[in-house]
Amino acid sequence: MELYRHKAYPAPAREALLRQGPLAVEVANRWMLGWPGRVRTLLEAGAYVPALIAQVERERDALSQPGNGHLARHEIAELYGLDAAPPAP
């Protein structure tokens, strides 16, 4: 999976994001497509990478729970109270 608008990220943030793996790219793409203003603000504040890592950890944990194999990702997100949006700056 390619990182959407990869040039919008400062190099250190982009590199840190890519080191987190495919789920991080998926979350980053969702955030950039849905909330580009929030992403920009988080990047400018230096809060983007920690927020992304925290979201990836929450999603990874929810997706790895046994018994969720029959659910779609959006259903798992709803079940575990995960917000699709990045945190408000």
Side-chain angles (χ1 to χ4, degrees):
M1 177 180 284
E2 296 287 324
L3 180 61
Y4 176 70
R5 294 190 58 207
H6 67 277
K7 292 182 180 180
Y9 299 89
R14 184 175 56 244
E15 291 165 10
L17 182 164
L18 292 173
R19 278 194 301 271
Q20 297 301 311
L23 183 56
V25 173
E26 182 180 322
V27 171
N29 288 346
R30 181 177 68 226
W31 285 5
M32 184 62 85
L33 284 164
W35 301 271
R38 278 194 197 180
V39 169
R40 239 183 340 272
T41 302
L42 289 168
L43 285 166
E44 290 168 0
Y48 180 83
V49 172
L52 179 78
I53 290 171
Q55 180 71 17
V56 168
E57 288 174 359
R58 285 190 297 272
E59 290 193 21
R60 189 172 285 136
D61 183 54
L63 291 169
S64 69
Q65 294 300 312
N68 288 343
H70 67 289
L71 298 173
R73 281 191 169 201
H74 71 275
E75 292 172 319
I76 294 171
E78 185 177 330
L79 180 66
Y80 287 90
L82 299 174
D83 191 353

